[in-house]
Amino acid sequence: MFCTTAARCLTTSFSHARYFARAAIAPAVPARFDDSVTPSIPTSFSPVSVNSRQYATINATNVADRVHRCLAAKESSGLTYDEIASKLGITNAYCAQLLLGQAKLTPQTAAKLAAVLPHISDTDLQAMQNDYPMRTFDSEILKEPNVYRTYEAITHYGEAIKELINEQCGDGIMSAIDFYLDVGTTTGKQGEKRVVITFNGKFLPHIEQRSEDNGAKSPRD
């Protein structure tokens, strides 16, 4: 059963690739942001230094370099995430995750990606299929206004979202694994551009922990 109500803290969607892809991060979280100010977006990408926790199973420098090359291949293609995603048959958010090293590339999609972005090397395509992403996030990302404002919206509406999910689906949560995320735009009544973020996750009900169903009971001395 699927419940498409928007929920769950967005920070889990922003993994360790944050410190791989963008060079500019705001120095601190301001108390209030000016909605009239549009933050500048760099046209070129370079890996940033990794100051967060290091993992023995992940070579952060190698991943950062690969992300840099993937973003450069996208930029040289002149294609948008929407256009690439359409050719790959995936959501635009998942497309961005693949290039940012936040999702594992399947062999079927790898063949399509090689055709769409031919500047991505065979070595990088193979690494994107072999590596298991470390799906965490660098807390510094919460200082970036775009991310912080989205996080703020989720937390501000969090209790209301929970109430609606409980009312419409029952006692449980929305999965962020069996999950689709799409980012789009629409035009408001005043002609302004508006952002539309759609979360579509499977509803996971909490279970009653019945002893007869417990297949791994704890030993009793």
Side-chain angles (χ1 to χ4, degrees):
M1 174 183 180
F2 286 80
C3 178
T4 57
T5 308
R8 181 164 290 220
C9 175
L10 189 65
T11 53
T12 54
S13 295
F14 298 97
S15 80
H16 67 296
R18 277 320 110 199
Y19 38 71
F20 299 155
R22 296 289 189 269
I25 293 181
V29 179
R32 187 175 295 275
F33 292 108
D34 184 353
D35 285 329
S36 66
V37 176
T38 301
S40 61
I41 300 175
T43 55
S44 60
F45 302 94
S46 61
V48 299
S49 60
V50 179
N51 296 318
S52 300
R53 176 180 174 182
Q54 300 293 305
Y55 296 95
T57 56
I58 296 292
N59 188 318
T61 300
N62 286 351
V63 177
D65 289 343
R66 189 184 75 217
V67 170
H68 171 68
R69 292 190 295 270
C70 287
L71 292 177
K74 173 188 175 293
E75 190 170 4
S76 67
S77 74
L79 297 173
T80 66
Y81 281 115
D82 271 349
E83 290 168 338
I84 298 171
S86 178
K87 294 176 184 295
L88 299 182
I90 57 179
T91 66
N92 59 5
Y94 198 79
C95 176
Q97 282 194 311
L98 285 174
L99 299 187
L100 293 173
Q102 296 173 278
K104 199 171 189 297
L105 183 65
T106 65
Q108 296 85 351
T109 303
K112 297 177 184 177
L113 184 59
V116 176
L117 297 180
H119 287 168
I120 297 181
S121 69
D122 291 341
T123 299
D124 283 342
L125 285 171
Q126 195 60 53
M128 293 167 73
Q129 296 173 75
N130 293 344
D131 293 353
Y132 290 92
M134 186 67 72
R135 291 179 173 90
T136 181
F137 71 96
D138 183 352
S139 60
E140 288 295 300
I141 191 63
L142 294 179
K143 297 179 181 179
E144 201 287 317
N146 203 328
V147 175
Y148 180 78
R149 181 50 56 86
T150 307
Y151 173 81
E152 180 185 55
I154 293 295
T155 53
H156 177 73
Y157 286 94
E159 188 172 1
I161 292 171
K162 178 187 181 300
E163 281 286 298
L164 290 165
I165 289 177
N166 289 160
E167 182 176 82
Q168 296 177 19
C169 301
D171 183 24
I173 64 171
M174 182 184 72
S175 172
I177 296 176
D178 191 336
F179 179 82
Y180 300 86
L181 172 62
D182 183 79
V183 181
T185 60
T186 188
T187 301
K189 290 185 177 180
Q190 306 303 319
E192 76 281 11
K193 180 168 285 191
R194 305 181 68 86
V195 178
V196 179
I197 302 175
T198 302
F199 287 4
N200 178 351
K202 181 179 181 180
F203 176 70
L204 302 175
H206 290 292
I207 67 165
E208 181 180 36
Q209 298 184 26
R210 299 176 59 83
S211 297
E212 62 191 64
D213 297 329
N214 184 5
K217 297 181 180 180
S218 301
R220 301 286 196 278
D221 289 336

